[in-house]
Amino acid sequence: MSDIHSTAFRYEAVCTELGIEPNPYVTLMFDKEKEEAVFEFKESMDLYLAGNNKLLTDKRLVDSDAEALYKTLCNNTYVDGLDLRYNNLTSVGAKHIAKLLEETVTLKYLNLMCNDIESEGAEAIAKALHKNESLRVLRLNGNKIGNRGGMCFAQMLQVNKILEALDLGDTDMTIEAVIALPTVLFRNSTLKALNVNRPLIFSCQEETTVHFAKMLKVNTSIEELHLQKYDMRDFGATRLAENLMANMTFNYLDLSCNRITRDGTKELAKVLKNNTSIKILDLGFNRLEDDGAMHLAEAIATYNTTLETLVVASNGIGNKGLCALADAMKTNTTLTSIFIWGNKLEEPACIAFASLLESGRLKPENTDIQAYVVDGVTKLCELSNQIRRHYYWAPNYGSDVPSWQPRGKNPRGSDVVIMKNLTVY
């Protein structure tokens, strides 16, 4: 049975064996864990080594550090989460991480977001996951793995029956890989969350959206899907709506940063009227305008009893649509969070949402606006709250720190949530 002391000792021994100096960042995080162990017994730890935390380090990890971590953790049972986001790991370092995935029995969470891993490194990680029986969450967002890397992960999903969340957003996948992923998910029954934001698609036929829509009709394990920046229009939104009508396990649909207008929103509102299991609907940065907001408001006010979070930020919605949404919240009791900043916030809309905030129907932590009055005129200002505000960074202090993470002097914020709903410790 490993503990923090044996883990730290093993790391120093590995560095001596490899002829390299122990990385001060890794040593610092081990020392902080030792301090905690004095006051609290812990069975495991999340090793947080994000390269963008200036409070902890000014030197990002490189491939030699990845090799040292592999040799340290391959037989380790104490570290079950590894956060290596925003470092300088290339495909060479990714191959060392792949060896770790082949040999580890405890690692559940791995974050490699925004490194320099390309298709060769992605292929090594994907092949390692053919054998791995522990990893639940993998984040590769921002690594340019391309079409070859995406195809490797599609093949992996045919074999792996353990992985529950996969983040391949902003990885420069092209149409072949994007179609391959929903195709293999027709038979995969373990993956719960998938992020395939911003692929490089040059077709105007929305084939990829159609494939995801057909997959959602038959897949009963997927709970969360992110399709940002797909150039999706009303045709694609309609296909998704048609196939979601009978899906009673899907919780979170992210269609932000697309080109959906009132017509596509009308079809998505029908899904809400059907009272499916969708709890979070993100339509931010589309083209809903007043008519689209009215369709959503009607569904929320009269039919839906499941939706908990709605994002309609930056959609050109004016007083008519915003007031309708505010009125809908007065009758709906399940919608607790709504994000509206970036629309046409004139005084009638400001008064409507200020009333919701004042009455307590809408909590300040569940929206991105705050009301204030100047010379008798009600205005709204923006709050930093966002639907996925901790996607790119992990908070170190304050009320945003997760309850399971120590606050204050131990800034070990390991974000083990790939997306909003799915939490794997």
Side-chain angles (χ1 to χ4, degrees):
M1 180 68 180
S2 302
D3 60 13
I4 181 56
H5 298 284
S6 62
T7 303
F9 178 80
R10 173 60 181 163
Y11 176 70
E12 292 178 2
V14 165
C15 289
T16 301
E17 176 186 333
L18 295 175
I20 62 175
E21 289 292 324
N23 190 299
Y25 192 9
V26 179
T27 303
L28 173 64
M29 300 315 293
F30 283 151
D31 289 341
K32 288 183 177 293
E33 187 72 13
K34 290 177 183 178
E35 291 177 12
E36 285 184 40
V38 173
F39 303 101
E40 177 186 2
F41 172 75
K42 298 179 67 175
E43 295 182 352
S44 62
M45 74 170 288
D46 300 306
L47 182 54
Y48 174 77
L49 297 170
N52 63 335
N53 193 325
K54 296 299 183 182
L55 296 176
L56 294 174
T57 184
D58 57 359
K59 184 179 179 182
R60 299 175 192 262
L61 275 65
V62 295
D63 293 333
S64 58
D65 295 309
E67 182 179 9
L69 287 172
Y70 152 60
K71 291 182 176 293
T72 301
L73 302 178
C74 59
N75 295 314
N76 187 279
T77 58
Y78 186 69
V79 176
D80 61 6
L82 183 58
D83 192 334
L84 299 174
R85 74 182 94 177
Y86 294 102
N87 284 294
N88 293 329
L89 304 182
T90 69
S91 292
V92 175
K95 291 179 180 179
H96 294 304
I97 300 299
K99 292 178 183 178
L100 173 61
L101 291 175
E102 289 179 353
E103 299 180 28
T104 183
V105 295
T106 57
L107 195 66
K108 297 179 181 178
Y109 168 76
L110 176 60
N111 188 346
L112 293 169
M113 172 180 172
C114 295
N115 278 275
D116 298 317
I117 300 170
E118 298 181 346
S119 57
E120 189 176 350
E123 182 177 4
I125 291 174
K127 287 183 177 179
L129 289 175
H130 286 225
K131 304 176 181 178
N132 181 276
E133 296 183 354
S134 66
L135 197 70
R136 300 293 191 274
V137 175
L138 174 62
R139 292 179 62 177
L140 278 168
N141 176 51
N143 291 281
K144 306 310 178 184
I145 66 174
N147 194 63
R148 174 185 166 190
M151 292 296 290
C152 290
F153 279 102
Q155 295 170 0
M156 176 273 295
L157 289 174
Q158 294 180 293
V159 179
N160 185 289
K161 303 302 179 185
I162 301 295
L163 194 68
E164 297 182 5
L166 177 61
D167 184 352
L168 297 177
D170 298 281
T171 53
D172 288 358
M173 290 188 297
T174 57
I175 190 168
E176 293 88 352
V178 178
I179 289 178
L181 287 168
T183 301
V184 301
L185 289 177
F186 273 83
R187 296 185 179 276
N188 183 293
S189 59
T190 54
L191 195 72
K192 296 181 180 179
L194 177 64
N195 183 342
V196 281
N197 292 342
R198 209 223 67 182
L200 301 182
I201 297 175
F202 302 101
S203 169
C204 295
Q205 303 301 315
E206 300 197 67
E207 302 99 323
T208 56
T209 304
V210 171
H211 279 82
F212 275 109
K214 291 180 178 179
M215 179 271 293
L216 289 174
K217 186 174 184 179
V218 299
N219 187 298
T220 58
S221 65
I222 286 285
E223 299 175 4
E224 185 174 340
L225 179 62
H226 297 261
L227 300 176
Q228 291 182 13
K229 304 174 187 175
Y230 262 69
D231 197 28
M232 188 185 303
R233 297 175 289 280
D234 292 332
F235 175 81
T238 301
R239 301 288 82 77
L240 284 170
E242 290 173 350
N243 289 280
L244 281 171
M245 280 295 187
N247 190 321
M248 292 300 171
T249 58
F250 189 71
N251 293 330
Y252 185 177
L253 180 61
D254 180 3
L255 301 179
S256 59
C257 304
N258 284 295
R259 296 168 60 187
I260 301 169
T261 70
R262 63 180 184 180
D263 296 330
T265 309
K266 182 178 181 179
E267 300 304 315
L268 292 169
K270 292 178 181 178
V271 180
L272 298 181
K273 290 180 180 179
N274 205 40
N275 227 23
T276 60
S277 58
I278 292 180
K279 296 180 180 179
I280 303 172
L281 178 60
D282 190 345
L283 293 171
F285 300 91
N286 278 281
R287 303 175 180 179
L288 274 57
E289 300 183 327
D290 281 336
D291 289 343
M294 294 289 288
H295 290 310
L296 294 173
E298 179 191 4
I300 293 166
T302 56
Y303 297 94
N304 187 272
T305 59
T306 57
L307 190 68
E308 297 175 0
T309 300
L310 175 65
V311 183
V312 290
S314 298
N315 268 285
I317 305 172
N319 285 328
K320 184 179 178 181
L322 292 172
C323 289
L325 288 170
D327 289 339
M329 290 195 70
K330 295 177 182 178
T331 57
N332 182 290
T333 59
T334 55
L335 183 64
T336 57
S337 301
I338 186 167
F339 300 87
I340 66 166
W341 184 258
N343 291 295
K344 302 173 183 177
L345 301 176
E346 299 174 356
E347 190 172 14
C350 295
I351 292 174
F353 277 92
S355 176
L356 289 176
L357 289 165
E358 184 178 357
S359 67
R361 171 64 184 87
L362 182 60
K363 304 295 184 183
E365 62 269 20
N366 293 333
T367 187
D368 57 351
I369 48 100
Q370 179 176 313
Y372 66 99
V373 179
V374 176
D375 295 332
V377 179
T378 301
K379 300 285 187 179
L380 296 177
C381 63
E382 184 182 13
L383 291 179
S384 63
N385 298 344
Q386 298 294 334
I387 181 68
R388 301 174 70 203
R389 62 179 301 190
H390 299 316
Y391 177 68
Y392 286 103
W393 63 284
N396 295 325
Y397 56 87
S399 59
D400 287 332
V401 179
S403 59
W404 48 267
Q405 176 188 316
R407 300 170 185 266
K409 90 177 187 178
N410 182 15
R412 191 181 51 85
S414 177
D415 177 11
V416 296
V417 184
I418 179 177
M419 295 167 239
K420 177 86 175 170
N421 267 1
L422 181 64
T423 304
V424 181
Y425 294 97

